[in-house]
Amino acid sequence: VYGVRDNEPVRTLFILDGFSFVRTKHLEDGSYRRMLREIGFYRDAKTGEIMKTWHNPYTNEDVRVVPIANDPYNYTISEFRPQPPSYGGLNKDKPPPEPFLLDWRYGPDDTVILTTDIHLFYPNALQPDKWVRESSGAFNRVSELFTYVVKRKDLENPKLTHVKAVGSWSRITPWLPWMLMGQAPGHISYFCSFGAYDSVNDIPADIREAARAMDPKWLAAPMEDYGPSLSSIENY
């Protein structure tokens, strides 16, 4: 996770390490409801230890680290592209229906590569007049970009309900609320790799147990649909 400010080099801030559990439910109209909860912990960039506090080099103070804990993040997969997340009604952007056609490409060694992106600009749940140091401003500008790589034979196998994948996730976002940066110029850039696994035992033991200590629910996918789906900023 990097800090980006004008007129200085990009700075490594810390490492993000987390996981999600997802369940898909086939609906009567033929669409699928994707139900997910996700949690992420921040590690010290040098030691790799999960941090409870972090020394902010921009403000020269120690701040309390708040993990990512989003429960749920759900949406419907159908013949039309999903609507952008509403984040509790804050994001009112509702584009017209568009066929859900993804950017699939053939890769080397009989793989298939998928890229997706989303770019959001919506009112901040943390308005600066109330959240003076936590708020980055009146609006949130957030981008998320994904790349998935899967084996073509797995993707074409109708018997599989789970296709393993590897890929990368990038996120451009304002300063995190717990950094207490207020409306200081600059932003954060996440750059992460990910994989899809079969078992909770494939997750690094320290973040698995840290999640269990917060609530055992993080070690399983939601059984039923509920909401609203909020981001970590609204949850904060």
Side-chain angles (χ1 to χ4, degrees):
V1 183
Y2 304 101
V4 183
R5 299 201 302 182
D6 289 343
N7 302 313
E8 69 176 43
V10 171
R11 185 194 299 260
T12 299
L13 302 180
F14 29 72
I15 297 168
L16 175 69
D17 202 358
F19 57 88
S20 63
F21 277 84
V22 62
R23 187 185 310 278
T24 51
K25 185 176 182 179
H26 198 187
L27 304 180
E28 291 183 358
D29 64 1
S31 62
Y32 290 84
R33 186 64 172 168
R34 185 179 186 273
M35 302 177 294
L36 176 146
R37 60 171 60 109
E38 60 189 357
I39 191 166
F41 298 93
Y42 292 101
R43 298 184 184 274
D44 185 282
K46 293 182 179 179
T47 68
E49 296 294 319
I50 296 174
M51 300 187 302
K52 294 185 177 180
T53 62
W54 174 69
H55 184 77
N56 186 334
Y58 297 124
T59 62
N60 196 33
E61 63 181 322
D62 292 334
V63 295
R64 181 175 67 93
V65 176
V66 180
I68 294 172
N70 297 332
D71 178 26
Y73 182 70
N74 301 342
Y75 61 85
T76 299
I77 302 169
S78 72
E79 61 179 312
F80 296 105
R81 186 174 295 277
Q83 289 288 316
S86 70
Y87 295 136
L90 292 169
N91 182 23
K92 301 184 183 303
D93 184 22
K94 292 188 179 297
E98 179 183 351
F100 193 28
L101 301 175
L102 295 173
D103 185 18
W104 299 98
R105 303 177 189 181
Y106 293 120
D109 299 322
D110 205 30
T111 58
V112 178
I113 302 170
L114 169 65
T115 57
T116 69
D117 57 65
I118 185 170
H119 307 282
L120 303 174
F121 184 73
Y122 63 96
N124 196 343
L126 306 176
Q127 286 295 306
D129 58 343
K130 179 179 179 181
W131 302 85
V132 179
R133 299 202 65 195
E134 295 87 350
S135 176
S136 60
F139 285 83
N140 286 325
R141 182 175 61 192
V142 178
S143 294
E144 297 207 17
L145 307 99
F146 292 84
T147 298
Y148 304 83
V149 181
V150 299
K151 294 179 180 178
R152 181 175 176 178
K153 65 178 182 180
D154 290 344
L155 197 63
E156 295 176 344
N157 186 347
K159 296 181 180 180
L160 294 180
T161 59
H162 175 161
V163 176
K164 286 192 174 182
V166 296
S168 65
W169 169 67
S170 298
R171 178 179 174 91
I172 301 169
T173 189
W175 304 118
L176 300 177
W178 53 263
M179 292 174 65
L180 303 181
M181 294 283 286
Q183 298 184 63
H187 65 270
I188 282 180
S189 177
Y190 288 78
F191 184 66
C192 301
S193 60
F194 66 80
Y197 302 99
D198 291 323
S199 169
V200 67
N201 295 323
D202 294 326
I203 298 169
D206 59 345
I207 63 169
R208 182 180 67 231
E209 296 312 311
R212 191 193 310 275
M214 288 178 61
D215 194 317
K217 73 175 183 179
W218 297 109
L219 302 183
M223 293 297 294
E224 297 296 335
D225 196 2
Y226 54 88
S229 298
L230 305 175
S231 79
S232 55
I233 293 177
E234 288 81 51
N235 285 326
Y236 186 97

